[in-house]
Amino acid sequence: MQYYNQDTYIYLNGDFVKASEAGADLFGQSLHYGYGAFEGLRAYNTHHGIRIFKAEEHFDRLQQSCEAIHLPYTWSTQQLMDATYELLEKNNLRAAYIRPLVFSGPNMHLTAATTANIMIAAWEWGPYLGQNLLRVCTSTVERPNPKSFPVEAKVSGQYVNAILASNEAIKRGFDEALLLDQDGFVAQASSENLFIEKDFKLYTPPLDQVFPGITRQTVIELCKELHIDVVEKKLSIQDVLEADSAFLSGTASEIIGIKEVNGVTYKEDWEHTIGASIQRKYKKLVLEEENYEVII
């Protein structure tokens, strides 16, 4: 897939420059060691104009990710939100995926960065995993141990783990992978959070082992509004296989249902599941088709 052409702009350290002319520092820790942090946002073409869904929460989390790995962060959330809307306008995008990336300055030592840069790109991108129900398998690749890495931060180098897991799943004929934690419990998919439905309740792994997805939190908020119980607990692979249904959540993938795990097909018709109801509610929310109040 081509993400830009000769007329595409990116935001780079306060300026809008052509993506084809931006260049790159080949001596930065981000390139050599994966020492960077990023975010993923979506802009939607709503009845009220272009809206970036939960932009403030995403840029706040970008700052938190940088702070977790001691990467300098000198930008305000409002500054980056304003720049992103301007970037969408410059590229004539009304619905887009948005990728901010904070990367280090030149430094070949294994020490904390003293300078950092920010880049924001945007492009048209449909749901990351497509629209069809997914065939999923458990991966031999484990989720990183929280004692070895800040798993709550969206750090560039950590996603080598996700690439390995998803690539293994695809080679085995599946669409996506489920990663276990170091204790053998199901943590999440390669880059999405997992929910399972059982006896009219939703269950999802607790935050101590998974990435704190903004879409995950939105699902929980929607469930409160719909009076659906959500239980955060450790899930075994048997819990997942014996569920009535299951789905994944993430900004890039949005809400997408799972057809089967490890060859075991869910018997519940997707359209009649809680996940399908959440999927419909989420789409209305991001398109601003109905009023919605975040429940704390």
Side-chain angles (χ1 to χ4, degrees):
M1 176 179 179
Q2 185 173 348
Y3 299 98
Y4 67 90
N5 58 40
Q6 61 182 3
D7 297 319
T8 300
Y9 284 93
I10 65 169
Y11 176 84
L12 181 63
N13 293 330
D15 297 315
F16 294 94
V17 300
K18 293 288 183 68
S20 58
E21 300 171 0
D25 185 344
L26 300 180
F27 291 89
Q29 292 166 304
S30 297
L31 176 62
H32 289 261
Y33 310 129
Y35 184 41
F38 69 95
E39 267 299 325
L41 303 84
R42 275 198 183 274
Y44 293 90
N45 188 14
T46 78
H47 296 300
H48 309 289
I50 302 170
R51 294 288 189 271
I52 301 173
F53 185 62
K54 294 197 172 182
E56 184 173 355
E57 289 91 333
H58 278 283
F59 281 115
D60 284 349
R61 190 174 65 184
L62 179 62
Q63 180 174 357
Q64 293 161 12
S65 294
C66 289
E67 291 172 349
I69 59 172
H70 311 294
L71 189 60
Y73 194 90
T74 59
W75 310 276
S76 73
T77 290
Q78 189 61 53
Q79 173 190 359
L80 298 180
M81 288 169 57
D82 292 343
T84 303
Y85 275 108
E86 187 173 349
L87 178 69
L88 293 173
E89 184 178 354
K90 280 186 172 291
N91 287 310
N92 196 29
L93 291 169
R94 301 188 64 81
Y97 181 80
I98 301 158
R99 170 54 53 84
L101 170 68
V102 177
F103 56 101
S104 64
N107 181 7
M108 288 289 94
H109 291 86
L110 298 179
T111 56
T114 57
T115 61
N117 308 277
I118 190 165
M119 181 277 291
I120 306 176
W123 62 89
E124 292 183 354
W125 209 18
Y128 174 65
L129 293 171
Q131 308 263 2
N132 298 324
L133 297 180
L134 302 175
R135 298 180 63 248
V136 175
C137 66
T138 50
S139 177
T140 62
V141 179
E142 286 187 355
R143 175 84 172 145
N145 189 321
K147 293 182 179 180
S148 66
F149 200 89
V151 295
E152 75 282 0
K154 204 172 182 73
V155 177
S156 300
Q158 180 180 334
Y159 279 73
V160 175
N161 175 265
I163 291 171
L164 293 174
S166 61
N167 188 57
E168 177 191 64
I170 291 168
K171 283 187 173 181
R172 291 169 56 190
F174 293 89
D175 303 308
E176 179 57 299
L178 286 180
L179 284 72
L180 308 183
D181 64 23
Q182 70 277 5
D183 297 318
F185 291 100
V186 178
Q188 62 173 68
S190 63
S191 60
E192 303 87 24
N193 292 114
L194 170 71
F195 288 84
I196 66 170
E197 177 184 348
K198 184 69 174 179
D199 297 331
F200 307 107
K201 290 183 180 180
L202 288 185
Y203 296 84
T204 191
L207 286 178
D208 60 345
Q209 296 285 352
V210 304
F211 183 70
I214 289 172
T215 310
R216 175 187 184 274
Q217 182 58 35
T218 302
V219 170
I220 293 172
E221 292 164 358
L222 288 173
C223 285
K224 288 181 181 178
E225 185 182 88
L226 296 170
H227 306 291
I228 296 169
D229 290 334
V230 180
V231 180
E232 297 182 65
K233 60 168 287 189
K234 291 185 178 296
L235 299 175
S236 68
I237 187 59
Q238 201 62 30
D239 291 327
V240 175
L241 295 177
E242 294 176 355
D244 298 324
S245 69
F247 64 92
L248 301 178
S249 68
T251 297
S253 301
E254 301 178 302
I255 310 296
I256 184 164
I258 297 174
K259 177 182 180 180
E260 63 176 67
V261 177
N262 291 348
V264 177
T265 301
Y266 289 119
K267 296 178 182 179
E268 190 74 24
D269 179 54
W270 168 250
E271 291 303 316
H272 299 114
T273 64
I274 292 175
S277 297
I278 296 297
Q279 185 184 59
R280 292 188 288 267
K281 191 80 171 175
Y282 182 81
K283 182 58 69 175
K284 289 182 179 181
L285 171 61
V286 297
L287 294 177
E288 299 186 350
E289 292 181 350
E290 59 181 37
N291 294 327
Y292 170 75
E293 294 182 1
V294 175
I295 300 173
I296 304 299

